[in-house]
Amino acid sequence: MILDEIRAQSAQAAKDICEAAALKKGDILVVGCSSSEVCGAKVGSASSPETAEVIFEGLAEVLNPKGIYIAAQCCEHLNRAIIVEKAAVPFTEIVNVVPQPKAGGSFATAAYKHFENPVAVEEIHADAGLDIGGTLIGMHLKKVAVPVRLSLNHIGEAILLAARTRPKFIGGIRAHYDENLL
C-alpha cells in the first residue's frame, strides 16, 4: 500500500538526517510538508490528512526514542508558524492558533494532534530540517544551514530536501575552530 511506503520513506529520511546532522537528545528538527505534493498534486491543492498522519508517524518512530523534537511548519495561511512540544521551547513566546488542514496544513494538524503539549510559535531556530514538497523551511533553521544529501530524494511524489546547521565561524586568520562543531 502507498501509505506504508510513505511511512517507511519518512522513517528513512529521519534516520538519514539524524546521522548526517549528528542530532542528539534535545535537538530540534523542523519539518515542512506538503501532503498535496506527496500525493502528486500542486502544493496547497489536495491536502491529505491521512498522508500527513503516516509521515508524522514515520518521523516520530525514529525521532521520539532519540529525544529529538519535531517542529512542524505551518503553511503560509498561518505565516509559516511552528507547532512544537512546549518542552522544546520553554522560553519562547507562544501564539494562539490551532492548525487545520486548510489553515496550517495537514502535517501541522497531525503534529498538533499527536504532541503531548503542543504550542504554536512564530519562529524557531532548528538544528536541522526536512523540506518535503518545497515548503521553504530555511527561515526556521539556525543561521548557517548546510545542505545534506539523504539516501532518498523524494517522499511519495514530493521532492525531499534536507539541511543541517553549524555554528558561525568568527575570527580571522588567527582563529582556530572546534572540528566537532563542523
Side-chain angles (χ1 to χ4, degrees), residues 16-23 28-29 126-130 137 141-150 161-167 169 179-182:
D16 289 353
I17 194 65
C18 283
E19 182 178 326
L23 295 177
I28 299 172
L29 175 71
D127 302 287
L130 294 174
I137 60 166
L141 292 169
K142 289 180 178 174
K143 294 279 185 191
V144 183
V146 179
V148 172
R149 295 279 183 221
L150 304 179
L161 299 174
R164 65 176 180 86
T165 62
R166 66 161 176 78
F169 291 139
E179 297 289 324
N180 295 317
L181 297 177
L182 301 178

Side-chain angles (χ1 to χ4, degrees), residues 26 30 64 77 103 131 144-145 147 161:
V30 65
N64 288 351
H77 296 103
D131 185 326
V144 183
L161 299 174

Side-chain angles (χ1 to χ4, degrees), residues 27-39:
D27 283 348
I28 299 172
L29 175 71
V30 65
V31 179
C33 176
S34 169
S35 61
S36 299
E37 289 276 336
V38 172
C39 294

Side-chain angles (χ1 to χ4, degrees), residues 25-74:
K25 183 177 182 176
D27 283 348
I28 299 172
L29 175 71
V30 65
V31 179
C33 176
S34 169
S35 61
S36 299
E37 289 276 336
V38 172
C39 294
K42 181 181 166 199
V43 67
S45 67
S47 192
S48 171
E50 299 80 16
T51 300
E53 283 282 330
V54 298
I55 293 168
F56 183 87
E57 291 167 1
L59 296 171
E61 75 185 33
V62 173
L63 300 172
N64 288 351
K66 296 177 181 293
I68 298 166
Y69 293 106
I70 298 171
Q73 179 180 272
C74 294

Side-chain angles (χ1 to χ4, degrees), residues 160-176:
L160 173 64
L161 299 174
R164 65 176 180 86
T165 62
R166 66 161 176 78
K168 294 179 188 179
F169 291 139
I170 63 167
I173 59 171
R174 297 181 190 178
H176 293 265

